[in-house]
């Protein structure tokens, strides 16, 4: 992850892009936001996979039986619903705190 960020960051901000070699702060900020969003999505997927695998898969094998498939699907749905609820609450709190500054 760290090396991926560094290589993307360096390739996007070469000296030929915006004329005269000047860096565009708005562009930099947008690219950082995209990188953060990608990292958050990767973390969500990794945590969801780990938790649901541990919860639903008793004996790993070549395929999942019906109960394991159902458990995985329901676990992932619940995890995503929980993540979305927490994210909305967090964003709402941030907006309130910014408004009170």
């Amino acid at each position: 992850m760290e090396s991926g960020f560094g290589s993307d960051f360096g390739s996007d901000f070469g000296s030929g892009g915006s004329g005269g070699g000047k860096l565009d702060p708005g562009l930099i900020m947008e690219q950082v936001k995209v990188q953060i969003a990608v990292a958050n999505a990767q973390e969500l997927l990794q945590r969801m996979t780990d938790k649901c695998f541990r919860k639903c898969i008793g004996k790993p094998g070549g395929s999942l039986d019906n109960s394991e498939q159902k458990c995985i699907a329901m676990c992932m749905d619940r995890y995503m619903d929980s993540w979305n609820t927490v994210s909305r609450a967090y964003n709402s709190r941030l907006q309130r705190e910014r408004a009170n500054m």
Side-chain angles (χ1 to χ4, degrees), residues 37-81:
V38 168
N40 284 336
Q42 288 173 335
E43 179 182 358
L44 168 65
L45 185 59
Q46 184 63 47
R47 285 185 179 187
M48 183 172 56
T49 300
D50 290 345
K51 288 182 184 293
C52 293
F53 183 87
R54 276 188 265 122
K55 176 181 172 53
C56 298
I57 309 300
K59 292 186 246 175
S63 63
L64 300 175
D65 64 31
N66 287 338
S67 64
E68 290 171 331
Q69 289 178 17
K70 185 175 180 178
C71 180
I72 290 283
M74 292 187 66
C75 179
M76 291 173 71
D77 285 344
R78 283 192 308 261
Y79 198 92
M80 290 297 294
D81 287 344

Side-chain angles (χ1 to χ4, degrees), residues 1-58:
M1 174 74 186
E2 203 172 67
S3 64
F5 180 79
S7 64
D8 290 345
F9 186 80
S11 65
D12 291 339
F13 298 113
S15 61
S18 60
K22 285 194 170 187
L23 297 178
D24 179 4
L27 177 63
I28 294 170
M29 188 60 93
E30 282 305 310
Q31 290 184 344
V32 168
K33 286 179 182 178
V34 168
Q35 288 293 326
I36 290 170
V38 168
N40 284 336
Q42 288 173 335
E43 179 182 358
L44 168 65
L45 185 59
Q46 184 63 47
R47 285 185 179 187
M48 183 172 56
T49 300
D50 290 345
K51 288 182 184 293
C52 293
F53 183 87
R54 276 188 265 122
K55 176 181 172 53
C56 298
I57 309 300

